[in-house]
Amino acid sequence: GLSREMSLDEDFILETISNPSEETFEEFILKSIPFVLTDVATQWPAFEAWKDPEYLIEKIGKKTKIPLRTHFVKVHAEQMKSIREKTAANNMKIHSEWLGETANITFEEFLDHWKRGKPWSKEEDLKEEFYYLASLPISKHFPALGEDVIVPNYPQSQKKSGNLWIGNQGQVTPVHFDFSTGDPGMDGLHAVLKGSKKFKLFDPSYNSSFIPKKNLWGKFHQAIVDVDGLPDEKEFPEYKKAKYIEILLKEGEILFIPKLWWHHVTTLEPSISVNFWFQHLGSEKLKLTKHWCVIEEYLKSVESMDISLEKMKNVLQFLTHKNLSEKEVEHYIKNKYEFMLLPQFIETFAHSTKAPYIASKEATEFGRELCDKVLDWIQKRKK
């Protein structure tokens, strides 16, 4: 509706830079500002080669089975039902299928489906199979395609390969930011090699408290959304205050998505893209200043999270490397602050500083400072 369009951030001016130098790129990372890179992806062999479906089939193999996403509407409905009925904690499997359930089919069958170019819609999704090839690591699933992509400097120096996306008109990736326990927030690049996409980007320093989040461990970076991938303003009136930047990303362009920025993606026509994630100490340090609000929201999510006995047992085992009794696990579920005060939980906030390409005296000092700030916050809340 109109009110959603009203939330567009009118003041923002998106910069487009042709083949930026590393110094220029770093300025955007340090300021946490998105921009578009041109004349980079157009130089990759993939830019021409991947426009030919026959080439992709030859490289990947007709009969190669790949895990795809399907039945998004059905899965989304089950997720929403579990959130509303507060049964989500005992039904984490459905929440791991974020973009739909997994279907393993041959690459040839998928490409035939994709080439038909039938637009995705809620109605059609319920009637027939739609497939979305979403975020599959190239090095693992499509090693033969690796040589067609020139990995940009930052991910390349961190030995991170790209992830492949192939989708049809109308397919969406719901509002989220890129985050995992091992990598608590990553800077990203999204390159469109064929087709075009529309991105909505939400600056976390402004929007952090307006976006409704799943209160499930490992899902705090995912918003609670309608089937269009955006939160419902009626259900979550706070979301009305949110402001986003809308970006049309065209063929051959790359978008820089700063660390911890919420984003929503719509495929506008049959598209092929590659995304990369990487770490940067400069953007990590923003967690002490303008992105502290994201850490605070994360801590509030942990404070109020719904978690099953089985899941908490796994989390505690992962963090402490100990096998705790059922009674001990229940104790941590009932006493969230005791869980949050575990040194191993607090240390997760400094996980990125342990990576060999980030590790340094400066990184260690930052990690300590952030963990102290987290500890201080938890102790104050506990009172």
Side-chain angles (χ1 to χ4, degrees), residues 75-343:
V75 171
H76 175 268
E78 287 174 34
Q79 290 182 356
M80 286 311 296
K81 186 172 187 280
S82 76
I83 287 171
R84 292 200 176 104
E85 295 175 359
K86 302 222 184 306
T87 57
N90 294 308
N91 194 4
M92 286 299 281
K93 187 179 179 310
I94 189 77
H95 287 274
S96 65
E97 310 241 292
W98 182 55
L99 296 170
E101 56 194 42
T102 306
N104 286 287
I105 65 168
T106 65
F107 186 68
E108 183 181 40
E109 198 185 332
F110 165 66
L111 225 52
D112 283 345
H113 163 88
W114 179 70
K115 282 190 303 197
R116 291 200 341 249
K118 188 171 182 181
W120 181 93
S121 70
K122 292 191 280 213
E123 296 70 38
E124 292 299 321
D125 189 81
L126 291 166
K127 278 194 273 200
E128 62 167 295
E129 297 269 353
F130 271 84
Y131 299 109
Y132 192 9
L133 192 161
S135 195
L136 294 182
I138 292 173
S139 57
K140 180 181 168 185
H141 294 277
F142 314 104
L145 293 181
E147 61 207 39
D148 294 343
V149 174
I150 303 164
V151 181
N153 280 352
Y154 283 114
Q156 195 256 326
S157 65
Q158 299 177 11
K159 302 201 176 16
K160 294 188 195 288
S161 93
N163 304 295
L164 185 63
W165 300 76
I166 302 181
N168 263 320
Q169 179 188 333
Q171 284 177 317
V172 296
T173 301
V175 178
H176 70 290
F177 61 89
D178 301 314
F179 193 95
S180 67
T181 315
D183 249 332
M186 293 156 277
D187 287 292
L189 290 164
H190 197 104
V192 174
L193 297 174
K194 178 179 164 55
S196 58
K197 291 184 166 184
K198 184 167 70 178
F199 282 76
K200 288 179 165 66
L201 298 184
F202 299 78
D203 180 345
S205 62
Y206 175 81
N207 290 292
S208 214
S209 62
F210 303 146
I211 295 175
K213 303 153 202 69
K214 293 185 179 176
N215 67 338
L216 304 167
W217 179 268
K219 308 285 169 214
F220 305 140
H221 60 293
Q222 293 178 5
I224 301 173
V225 296
D226 274 353
V227 77
D228 65 357
L230 291 161
D232 181 338
E233 293 182 354
K234 287 195 194 69
E235 197 172 347
F236 303 102
E238 280 291 287
Y239 175 64
K240 283 195 181 111
K241 299 178 194 164
K243 283 187 176 173
Y244 57 74
I245 300 157
E246 197 159 85
I247 295 166
L248 169 63
L249 196 64
K250 299 193 284 288
E251 192 165 285
E253 296 181 336
I254 304 179
L255 176 62
F256 167 59
I257 303 173
K259 184 180 288 177
L260 305 179
W261 278 57
W262 294 87
H263 47 286
H264 172 278
V265 194
T266 309
T267 305
L268 298 175
E269 59 191 297
S271 295
I272 302 178
S273 317
V274 176
N275 86 296
F276 306 91
W277 287 303
F278 61 91
Q279 262 312 344
H280 195 288
L281 185 57
S283 55
E284 275 298 284
K285 286 180 151 182
L286 297 175
K287 291 175 180 175
L288 289 168
T289 54
K290 71 172 177 185
H291 290 165
W292 169 251
C293 54
V294 180
I295 304 298
E296 202 167 13
E297 286 293 319
Y298 185 90
L299 289 164
K300 286 178 187 169
S301 297
V302 178
E303 222 175 25
S304 65
M305 71 178 166
D306 280 334
I307 191 163
S308 68
L309 193 71
E310 184 192 7
K311 184 71 178 172
M312 185 59 121
K313 192 175 169 65
N314 292 345
V315 170
L316 286 161
Q317 203 164 5
F318 169 76
L319 290 175
T320 66
H321 305 293
K322 289 195 193 103
N323 214 337
L324 300 178
S325 72
E326 205 163 290
K327 208 171 164 185
E328 289 171 301
V329 176
E330 273 179 348
H331 175 79
Y332 283 117
I333 292 178
K334 288 197 182 81
N335 302 278
K336 292 277 169 51
Y337 293 116
E338 287 189 39
F339 167 73
M340 293 167 81
L341 286 167
L342 288 169

